[in-house]
Amino acid sequence: MSFFNQKYHSLIPYTPGEQVNEQQILKLNTNENPYDPPQAVLEAAKQAAMTLSRYSDPTCRMVRQPLAKQLGVKEEQIFIGNGSDDVLALLFQGFTEHGVAFPDISYGFYDVYRHFYQVPAKIVPLNAAFQIDLADYEGSSETVVIANPNAPTGLVISKERIIQFLSQNPHRLLIVDEAYADFGKESVVQEVAHYPNLIVVGTFSKARQLAGARLGYAIANEQIIQDMNRLKFSINPYSVNTMSLYCGAASLNSQDYVDECIEKIITTREYVCSALQQLSFEVLPSQANFIFATHPKITGQHLYQRLKQDNIYIRWFDQERIRNFIRISIGTQEEMVYFIEKIKEILQEENIHA
Ligand SMILES: Cc1ncc(COP(=O)(O)O)c(C=O)c1O
């Protein structure tokens, strides 16, 4: 006998990358930031702890205000959620009257949410070069959801192309998930002032060292933000906790440190790309804090399993079209030099020469 609602019996939840905490493990599997949060975040967490007898501020003003300033948008154009997963879930729940359209290869949660909220979905294949081609989304009315940079490919479509789509499809809602946009150059966040059909989703998990704090946001016109708040205040107004709000504000106040870490990650990403290419890997040109790569002579699954034996965790997706790829989050320079050494050892074991 089951007390669980029948409609959820066939629900297939998202499979997160393994969350391991042992010191000896090199964790390159969930696109976290390899650097510690700035000192100011640690101090803010301590300060926040002293206020925990009170509920958190449901308007999240402490983060909205500095975030508005940083992104050049109005406070009223910002919604804060418990990680961008929370934000995306609300969008799938409340802004998909005409269904959704998203790429066949993208962030796995899109497919989970559309099933969960029972939204009809059009799954649009990436083109042969693994790129999103917005022309493939023309001519229908679903809400379009894309990640830019896309995950797990790391590939981007240009800001100009997104703007063109928005202006040519004024009645079509476009959600651009910019979880990794800080590692590239194509953010359309400033376009919310011009396009009421645009929602940009962002997170403090990747560029801001706060994956565990769970802070995500949506930037859109005031009406959309009000509607999102209507949903949030109908479920859990306090979905974002006080510790996270204090930490988020401190992170925004430590922009130089955050930018420095982004620069280091980009430099290391370019090092890893060229080192792997020299070992005959094909590496997609990434604008994210991870890379997606494949080797002609060794399977993705073998690399994943073999690296795991050496306590290096990466991500492998048992999925059509990308089964032979591995996704590697970018760690510190030192970690990635070690990673490349291990890859060389594995290729040698297999008698593969570049
Ligand atoms: C494309 C994309 N969007 C959103 C998220 C969710 O991030 P968070 O819920 O930590 O903000 C992820 C996490 O890996 C992601 O890859």
Side-chain angles (χ1 to χ4, degrees):
M1 175 167 152
S2 167
F3 294 105
F4 196 36
N5 290 4
Q6 188 61 37
K7 67 178 175 181
Y8 295 130
H9 280 202
S10 59
L11 191 63
I12 302 172
Y14 178 70
T15 314
E18 295 123 305
Q19 210 54 36
V20 280
N21 239 338
E22 286 129 60
Q23 285 265 295
Q24 73 274 19
I25 283 171
L26 176 51
K27 195 169 175 305
L28 306 176
N29 66 342
T30 50
N31 302 339
E32 292 147 326
N33 198 302
Y35 298 103
D36 290 335
Q39 189 63 30
V41 164
L42 308 187
E43 282 150 24
K46 200 168 153 191
Q47 234 187 322
M50 297 312 292
T51 74
L52 289 181
S53 57
R54 304 288 183 200
Y55 282 107
S56 58
D57 167 19
T59 71
C60 302
R61 190 106 199 271
M62 195 175 208
V63 167
R64 267 193 316 128
Q65 220 169 19
L67 187 60
K69 206 163 154 211
Q70 216 231 322
L71 298 178
V73 300
K74 295 188 210 154
E75 261 180 72
E76 298 75 27
Q77 293 170 329
I78 301 184
F79 173 90
I80 306 285
N82 187 5
S84 57
D85 285 338
D86 179 39
V87 176
L88 288 163
L90 287 181
L91 295 175
F92 272 77
Q93 183 178 19
F95 296 82
T96 53
E97 197 88 289
H98 306 290
V100 278
F102 55 83
D104 60 342
I105 296 164
S106 194
Y107 183 40
F109 243 130
Y110 304 156
D111 205 46
V112 175
Y113 290 141
R114 69 103 172 181
H115 278 114
F116 187 55
Y117 293 114
Q118 300 177 336
V119 180
K122 185 170 155 189
I123 312 293
V124 184
L126 296 180
N127 71 16
F130 288 108
Q131 286 155 335
I132 295 169
D133 186 348
L134 282 177
D136 297 337
Y137 292 77
E138 296 278 0
S140 45
S141 58
E142 302 92 354
T143 295
V144 176
V145 184
I146 58 167
N148 200 39
N150 195 15
T153 63
L155 298 178
V156 287
I157 46 176
S158 74
K159 208 177 186 161
E160 293 71 30
R161 182 64 187 95
I162 294 175
I163 293 170
Q164 185 191 32
F165 185 87
L166 289 164
S167 54
Q168 288 175 352
N169 297 273
H171 302 298
R172 196 92 186 267
L173 183 61
L174 174 65
I175 298 171
V176 184
D177 178 351
E178 293 195 350
Y180 303 102
D182 292 314
F183 303 99
K185 303 181 205 73
E186 305 296 343
S187 174
V188 287
V189 84
Q190 255 104 56
E191 302 304 321
V192 295
H194 311 296
Y195 298 98
N197 54 334
L198 170 65
I199 304 178
V200 176
V201 176
T203 179
F204 282 53
S205 297
K206 311 298 179 183
R208 290 197 171 275
Q209 295 105 359
L210 288 180
R214 314 305 301 126
L215 268 180
Y217 55 88
I219 313 291
N221 80 12
E222 287 89 331
Q223 183 58 55
I224 289 176
I225 299 304
Q226 277 172 30
D227 292 337
M228 292 187 75
N229 275 316
R230 203 186 317 195
L231 288 178
K232 171 173 159 173
F233 280 67
S234 304
I235 304 170
N236 176 11
Y238 309 110
S239 59
V240 182
N241 71 75
T242 304
M243 298 286 280
S244 301
L245 289 175
Y246 271 68
C247 292
S251 165
L252 287 162
N253 210 10
S254 311
Q255 197 55 40
D256 287 351
Y257 173 82
V258 171
D259 288 342
E260 233 173 78
C261 294
I262 292 172
E263 280 312 310
K264 284 198 273 193
I265 291 166
I266 292 172
T267 305
T268 302
R269 177 184 76 202
E270 297 314 309
Y271 154 76
V272 179
C273 280
S274 66
L276 286 178
Q277 278 163 347
Q278 279 165 28
L279 297 170
S280 302
F281 277 84
E282 182 196 338
V283 187
L284 301 188
S286 168
Q287 285 202 26
N289 66 340
F290 57 85
I291 54 168
F292 206 47
T294 181
H295 193 283
K297 294 193 180 149
I298 186 163
T299 68
Q301 185 176 23
H302 182 71
L303 278 168
Y304 164 74
Q305 286 169 342
R306 184 60 194 77
L307 284 164
K308 201 168 177 181
Q309 282 171 15
D310 279 341
N311 283 330
I312 299 175
Y313 284 49
I314 57 162
R315 199 85 203 260
W316 169 68
F317 299 93
D318 189 8
Q319 186 185 340
E320 200 76 10
R321 293 185 77 190
I322 56 168
R323 206 164 266 127
N324 255 343
F325 280 80
I326 50 173
R327 194 196 68 191
I328 307 140
S329 308
I330 302 299
T332 64
Q333 180 69 20
E334 198 186 0
E335 286 169 345
M336 298 319 282
V337 167
Y338 175 75
F339 169 79
I340 293 293
E341 285 312 308
K342 283 292 167 191
I343 290 282
K344 283 182 186 163
E345 276 176 36
I346 294 170
L347 295 179
Q348 255 166 19
E349 271 167 30
E350 302 287 322
N351 247 328
I352 297 170
H353 304 284

